[in-house]
Amino acid sequence: MSEGNAALYTFLVYILVVFGLAWLANKLLRERSFLSEYFLGSRSLGIWAFALTFAATSASGGSFTGFPSKIYTHGWVLALWIGSYMVVPICMMGLIGKRINQVARIANSITVPDVLRDRFQSPAFGLMATALIVFFMIFGLVAQFKAGSLILKTLLGSVDFFHQTAQSLGKVVGEKGYFAGAPPDYLLCLMIFGLVVVLYTAYGGFHAVVWTDVLQGLVMVIGVVLLLPLALSQVGGLERATRQLAQMLPPERGTATLQLEQQAAADYAVPAGVWLRSGEKVLRTVDAALIPAGGRAAGVAVLQIVTPEEVERLLAEDERFVAHAGVRVADIATAPYAYGADKPGSYVGGPGPSRGAAEGFLPLSLAVSFFFMWAIAGTGQPSNFVRLMAFNSTRTLRFSMCTVALHYSLIYFPLIIIFCCARILLPGMEAESDRIMPAMVVFLTDNAGVAWLGGLLVAAPFAAVMSTVDSFLLMISSALVRDVYQRNLRSDIAEARIRRLSYLCTVCVGVGAVVASVNPPQFLQDIIVYAGSGLAACFLGPMVFALYWPRATAAGCMAGMAGGFLAHLGLYAAGIWVNGSFYVPLRVLNMDPILWGLLVSFLATYLGGKLSREPDAELVRRYFH
């Protein structure tokens, strides 16, 4: 209890600082033009503000929740999976950074749809861009809200008041209706996270987002740099960790029947994540189970640890099994991984273990595809376009490229080492691997006797989630208020009304995201990859042609945007029939859907520009001479 409170107090100090920054940003809103300041920070970002807000926004909850989950599940091969992320700032800032800033200033554009609409004087193009941004960012928001809630759930796990409040909330929502499917503790954390991030984003606007991004960018690096030596020291060094990892086999997943050794007068609850043993077999429950009085619970989802050395070590730690020692396990039926089940060493080499793919998680051809996917997907994100519209000088852009590349290197490479160590220190978490980051933080800091540090380190993944959520909220609210309402319905609207609508829209979008996140899809990183790659497939081609090709036309760019969207969506939809899941897309020639979406988008934009009527000479002169 005291350790949980120590971490919680540190975390609360961090949240208070975030709200302090929002208050300062709100003071700026009263002194400057509302639209430009609220949505773009008056285009005044310097080197550190621009670099860290760009880095924090790009990092997102996937970097500290979904990415560690993938490392824990598949091992060292994730170094190839994420390898190109260090060149994202060089690609994006070098390719379109200066040019999009110039075009936005010429047109006095505030949002990304503004840039596309004004470049071609096409309201239809602006509305199309708005619709696609809202569509994909809804997916992104759901993933980020889930990530933030899981982080809070782990941080508050040892606080009694939290569990009491969660139980009370569970009684209020009941066992029927929309909210009944969500665990009460997750639901409570979701509400807390939503309240915090929506309030400070709505109140402070873009500068609040930027300033908190600066804080969050620093917290991310500090958190990872501190976690690395803690993980290595507790696992016994990198060499020892690699040797142990090389012996590991992936756990088997299946079902078992649970029964009490002695009959009980009342039902007996077995929580999720409980360690059980059956002779020399070691299992962990995936879901909670209820053993009825005098009966048994059949078909309970379990994980079985199968690495002999790991089983021996776990059996020696008797305290793991004490809490539910009276539960007898029978009828164990588990299935091995499709790849890696009989291959010791699969966690330290490619292509990495995989439950569903017989060729492994990341074959070499797919690793090459992912190298291009991350670099290109990062370059095509509208949330990053907004940052590129807000820096104040070419010098800021030039220095920020190096700063962000170094920032990413200090985050992603250590994360691979940390969560390969997590496989050894925290076994059997495949069933809830999206929670491995905060669970690892709590484990390491408690063992090191510095529980208060856990609050700061948990703030690192929480910061990544918040920095992405606030950017998405502002992009969606700006798209609705500026690009739909003001530019198409009420161009003469007063600034005071715009202010009220912006606040209201930000809050409503946030509340909607909270409701949609009550029962989110299971795999966080898969949602993030779909949303990010989809945005890039839609926006990168049209934006590059709009910025650099005088012959580009609205019709051609709209064709490219639609073509990229349909090609990308089609391959994901085909995954439902081929792979049984929307989030496991059809990979033609073993290439990620984003590459096919980009190919279609670039070709359609070019051909559409050539076949459509030449652009107005005055528009070409304005933007290219």
Side-chain angles (χ1 to χ4, degrees), residues 249-271:
L249 298 171
E252 296 183 0
R253 191 163 181 170
T255 60
T257 298
L258 305 185
Q259 185 176 4
L260 294 177
E261 292 183 352
Q262 297 181 356
Q263 287 194 359
D267 296 345
Y268 184 87
V270 180

Side-chain angles (χ1 to χ4, degrees), residues 65 110 167 176 190 224 346 352 450 472 479 535:
T65 309
I110 294 174
Q167 290 174 2
K176 296 181 180 179
L190 178 63
V224 172
S346 60
V450 286
F472 284 10
L535 283 167

Side-chain angles (χ1 to χ4, degrees), residues 92-114:
M92 184 162 199
M93 296 180 187
L95 177 64
I96 63 176
K98 185 173 181 177
R99 182 64 177 142
I100 195 173
N101 192 282
Q102 289 174 339
V103 169
R105 288 175 186 271
I106 291 170
N108 198 28
S109 302
I110 294 174
T111 66
V112 173
D114 261 356

Side-chain angles (χ1 to χ4, degrees), residues 380-504:
Q381 297 305 303
S383 56
N384 290 339
F385 292 161
V386 174
R387 266 63 186 163
L388 295 176
M389 293 161 60
F391 68 82
N392 60 9
S393 69
T394 302
R395 180 176 179 272
T396 293
L397 179 67
R398 186 168 60 248
F399 280 94
S400 295
M401 284 190 206
C402 302
T403 304
V404 177
L406 178 62
H407 184 277
Y408 286 162
S409 300
L410 289 174
I411 288 177
Y412 290 106
F413 292 143
L415 283 177
I416 295 167
I417 299 173
I418 292 167
F419 290 99
C420 282
C421 294
R423 279 219 58 81
I424 300 164
L425 296 173
L426 294 174
M429 286 198 65
E430 279 81 1
E432 48 179 358
S433 57
D434 277 346
R435 206 170 60 84
I436 188 62
M437 172 70 177
M440 186 68 166
V441 167
V442 172
F443 178 86
L444 293 176
T445 53
D446 284 356
N447 281 356
V450 286
W452 62 268
L453 184 60
L456 176 62
L457 298 183
V458 167
F462 196 78
V465 177
M466 289 177 71
S467 61
T468 303
V469 169
D470 53 33
S471 300
F472 284 10
L473 285 175
L474 280 184
M475 281 210 69
I476 294 176
S477 62
S478 66
L480 297 175
V481 174
R482 166 74 171 172
D483 301 312
V484 176
Y485 188 76
Q486 185 187 28
R487 301 215 64 182
N488 291 281
L489 300 176
R490 287 285 305 275
S491 59
D492 59 341
I493 186 173
E495 184 172 286
R497 185 169 177 81
I498 291 178
R499 182 189 298 266
R500 290 194 297 270
L501 282 175
S502 299
Y503 291 154
L504 178 63

Side-chain angles (χ1 to χ4, degrees), residues 250-303:
E252 296 183 0
R253 191 163 181 170
T255 60
T257 298
L258 305 185
Q259 185 176 4
L260 294 177
E261 292 183 352
Q262 297 181 356
Q263 287 194 359
D267 296 345
Y268 184 87
V270 180
V274 165
W275 288 99
L276 301 171
R277 62 183 298 176
S278 176
E280 296 300 309
K281 293 182 178 180
V282 176
L283 304 102
R284 194 174 193 185
T285 56
V286 173
D287 301 318
L290 188 67
I291 303 175
R296 56 185 187 169
V300 178
V302 295
L303 279 172

